[in-house]
Amino acid sequence: YDSTGVQSLEMLAAGLHGMASNPASRWFGLRMIELGFEDDDQTKKYLSDTEQTKRAYMYAPGTNLITALHETYQELGAFGTAVMFIGERSDGGLWYQSRPLAECFIAENADGKVDTLYRKTMMAARQIVMQWPKTASPDVRKKMEKEPDVKIEICHAVEPRGEREYDKKNRDNMPFASCYFETKTCTLLEESGFPEFPYAVPRWSKRSGEEYGRSPAMIALPDVKMRQEMMK
């Protein structure tokens, strides 16, 4: 009956994107943690060159960064917690994708930082066989022959790796373990790892002891409902 709430969320997401991460501006920078390098010309040049390189990779064609940021700001304003995956495409470039909060379960470490995420999502049987041709379960293969578009629940789990060989740099020994599996049959589809936590999980605000954030939409929800009743 009334679109004020929806329009306000769009304006908030656009404002955050325009002021916090405007692609036309230099919205992030690098600096040395240790003191004493502020006036060193070589250090300044290195940091400046690194910033330009990072920006070139982030905004290269196909990264989906601009779209993912706007969707992340929408989720953040509506639900107080947002999830953005930062991965790598098959051609080696970066890949950004906003993940729906309804699919994700998060956990924090002792420092209050999110370091564990389980994500459940639905994929078509043919998509699973295409992405994991060697490890897809027999049930999924049978369904692909009869109903290729039937949806199968998949879980992606990322968490700190408990045991690893620190001198090895392969995916099986990276600090964060990653695995995809079919939730119904518990069939392991892929097991690998990440050198850093691949999900960015911003929280708008939260109270002590909470893991999930609170949003401005939660505060405005009574007014939004009242406007709906008034228009009705």
Side-chain angles (χ1 to χ4, degrees):
Y1 299 102
D2 183 85
S3 62
T4 303
V6 179
Q7 292 177 353
S8 299
L9 179 62
E10 287 289 339
M11 291 177 62
L12 174 62
L16 289 172
H17 199 173
M19 292 185 288
S21 57
N22 192 330
S25 64
R26 182 181 172 184
W27 59 271
F28 69 90
L30 301 177
R31 65 179 178 86
M32 298 294 293
I33 297 178
E34 297 181 4
L35 300 177
F37 293 93
E38 297 84 358
D39 299 326
D40 186 76
D41 293 335
Q42 291 185 347
T43 303
K44 290 181 179 179
K45 185 178 185 306
Y46 170 77
L47 294 176
S48 178
D49 293 344
T50 305
E51 288 178 19
Q52 294 180 10
T53 303
K54 288 172 65 70
R55 181 180 177 83
Y57 274 97
M58 291 170 61
Y59 285 101
T63 62
N64 195 48
L65 175 60
I66 296 177
T67 301
L69 279 174
H70 185 73
E71 293 174 354
T72 300
Y73 289 138
Q74 287 180 317
E75 293 266 310
L76 189 61
F79 308 117
T81 304
V83 177
M84 184 170 67
F85 177 71
I86 306 170
E88 188 176 350
R89 304 193 307 269
S90 57
D91 61 0
L94 293 176
W95 171 245
Y96 298 86
Q97 188 175 22
S98 178
R99 306 295 198 187
L101 181 61
E103 298 180 351
C104 301
F105 304 85
I106 63 174
E108 297 176 339
N109 59 16
D111 297 327
K113 297 180 180 179
V114 177
D115 67 345
T116 301
L117 189 143
Y118 279 60
R119 173 177 172 261
K120 287 185 176 182
T121 187
M122 305 298 291
M123 293 181 64
R126 63 183 182 87
Q127 293 175 329
I128 297 174
V129 175
M130 287 175 61
Q131 188 164 350
W132 298 288
K134 297 181 179 180
T135 56
S137 66
D139 293 342
V140 173
R141 296 180 187 277
K142 291 179 181 179
K143 290 181 179 180
M144 190 197 70
E145 296 175 358
K146 298 179 181 179
E147 301 176 281
D149 292 322
V150 66
K151 298 296 184 180
I152 308 295
E153 189 177 68
I154 299 296
C155 182
H156 182 209
V158 180
E159 59 189 3
R161 193 183 297 276
E163 298 180 1
R164 64 189 181 96
E165 298 181 36
Y166 290 87
D167 57 331
K168 294 184 178 180
K169 303 298 182 182
N170 56 0
R171 286 196 166 190
D172 294 335
N173 289 283
M174 287 188 176
F176 288 91
S178 168
C179 69
Y180 289 87
F181 61 91
E182 300 173 17
T183 57
K184 184 178 180 180
T185 62
C186 291
T187 301
L188 182 63
L189 298 172
E190 179 185 344
E191 186 174 6
S192 59
F194 293 97
E196 298 178 353
F197 191 61
Y199 287 97
V201 187
R203 276 79 59 87
W204 183 276
S205 67
K206 65 186 186 73
R207 296 177 182 174
S208 59
E210 294 181 339
E211 292 185 344
Y212 293 86
R214 297 171 180 264
S215 70
M218 294 177 182
I219 301 175
L221 187 59
D223 300 305
V224 171
K225 288 184 175 181
M226 179 60 69
R227 288 193 63 89
Q228 299 294 335
E229 289 298 321
M230 292 170 61
M231 293 299 293
K232 181 180 177 180

